[in-house]
Amino acid sequence: TVTSDCEPNVTCTATFRGDPAPPVMLTCPANVTEAACQTQAQIDTKFNAWLGTASFSGGCNAMLSNNNSGPAPDHCGGSKSVTYTVTSDCEPNVTCTATFTVDPAPPVMLTCPANATEAACQTQAEIDTKFNTWLGTAMFTGGCNGMLSNDNSGPAPDHCGGNKSVTFTVTSDCEPNQTCTATFTVSPAPAVVLTCPTNATEAACQTQAQIDTKFNTWLGTAMFTGGCNGMMSNNSTTAPNACGGSASITFTVTSDCEPNQTCTATFTVDPAPPVMLTCPANA
């Protein structure tokens, strides 16, 4: 307005306008799920990169921050929700929340070998092979960077009988050690039972051929049971003289899994009765 003495007031109007602040547009990181069994260093790197994917536009003197104050989720499984905030001069704070997840490690499933029993009378080489094959039937699934081991530090059980219990262990990154125990058994060898021939006495006055035949038949009445790879022998195959005498025979059974077993029996031929000759009386 201009006022003056000689005319009416003169006026005009003008406007001063400030443009409105551009609205804040906040873009949160996408929710992310990472696979199990990565290292913690890998998860840390990916988490920090993920934090940096938040962005915004607009606002006046705007600043972006988040409320994360600790480490990434554990590499064995877990999640972390982070809230992002944009502060600016001309509107209330703008926020969003996103979540970074690490899948849990799959649990370790340890399968022990079945307890095994092997028959007696195999060779040690056969038992060794079967024992080593049996050790290899342990298996596992799951876990992160799992490793399977066992506490066997010696040979297989003795082929003559015995057993061995073995503990199997799986170590992994994300859970306590998992263990199981199984037993490999070799049945004991059956004991040798040796049956000697019965002592025999043959009458005198048989031929030597008859005595030889009966003696050989008598030798064959020795027998045994049990043992592993047992073999029977004796210390003589010569019959007594048909005119009288005896033979004491020792029978021996050798086997893989016990000391030699022996017994002794006697085959006798009665002595021939002496000749009693009566001469005619002198005449």
Side-chain angles (χ1 to χ4, degrees):
T1 299
V2 176
T3 59
S4 66
D5 291 347
C6 295
E7 63 181 286
N9 291 349
V10 178
T11 65
C12 70
T13 300
T15 301
F16 183 93
R17 184 184 302 277
D19 286 336
V24 171
M25 301 294 292
L26 172 58
T27 302
C28 247
N31 292 333
V32 168
T33 299
E34 288 290 334
C37 297
Q38 299 180 64
T39 66
Q40 190 63 52
Q42 289 172 317
I43 293 299
D44 291 347
T45 297
K46 291 181 178 182
F47 179 70
N48 290 330
W50 174 80
L51 289 174
T53 61
S55 61
F56 76 96
S57 62
C60 290
N61 299 314
M63 294 187 65
L64 174 64
S65 62
N66 65 63
N67 67 345
N68 178 59
S69 60
D74 193 278
H75 71 119
C76 292
S79 65
K80 196 164 199 179
S81 292
V82 178
T83 297
Y84 298 83
T85 301
V86 175
T87 59
S88 64
D89 291 347
C90 296
E91 63 181 290
N93 291 351
V94 177
T95 64
C96 68
T97 299
T99 301
F100 185 97
T101 301
V102 179
D103 283 337
V108 171
M109 301 293 290
L110 171 58
T111 303
C112 244
N115 292 333
T117 300
E118 288 292 332
C121 298
Q122 299 180 66
T123 66
Q124 190 64 52
E126 288 173 321
I127 293 299
D128 290 348
T129 297
K130 291 181 177 181
F131 178 69
N132 291 329
T133 299
W134 175 81
L135 288 176
T137 61
M139 63 185 71
F140 76 98
T141 59
C144 289
N145 301 314
M147 293 189 65
L148 174 64
S149 62
N150 65 65
D151 66 350
N152 179 58
S153 60
D158 193 276
H159 71 119
C160 292
N163 62 68
K164 196 163 200 179
S165 291
V166 179
T167 296
F168 299 82
T169 301
V170 175
T171 58
S172 64
D173 290 347
C174 293
E175 62 182 291
N177 291 352
Q178 302 295 307
T179 63
C180 68
T181 300
T183 302
F184 185 96
T185 300
V186 179
S187 296
V192 172
V193 177
L194 171 59
T195 303
C196 246
T198 304
N199 291 334
T201 301
E202 288 293 330
C205 297
Q206 300 179 64
T207 66
Q208 189 63 50
Q210 289 174 315
I211 293 298
D212 290 348
T213 297
K214 291 181 177 180
F215 178 73
N216 289 329
T217 299
W218 175 81
L219 288 176
T221 62
M223 64 185 70
F224 76 97
T225 60
C228 288
N229 302 313
M231 295 187 65
M232 183 167 67
S233 60
N234 63 64
N235 64 344
S236 177
T237 56
T238 302
N241 191 285
C243 294
S246 65
S248 290
I249 308 299
T250 296
F251 299 84
T252 300
V253 174
T254 59
S255 64
D256 290 347
C257 294
E258 62 182 290
N260 292 351
Q261 302 295 308
T262 63
C263 68
T264 300
T266 302
F267 185 95
T268 301
V269 178
D270 284 338
V275 172
M276 301 296 293
L277 174 60
T278 302
C279 265
N282 292 330

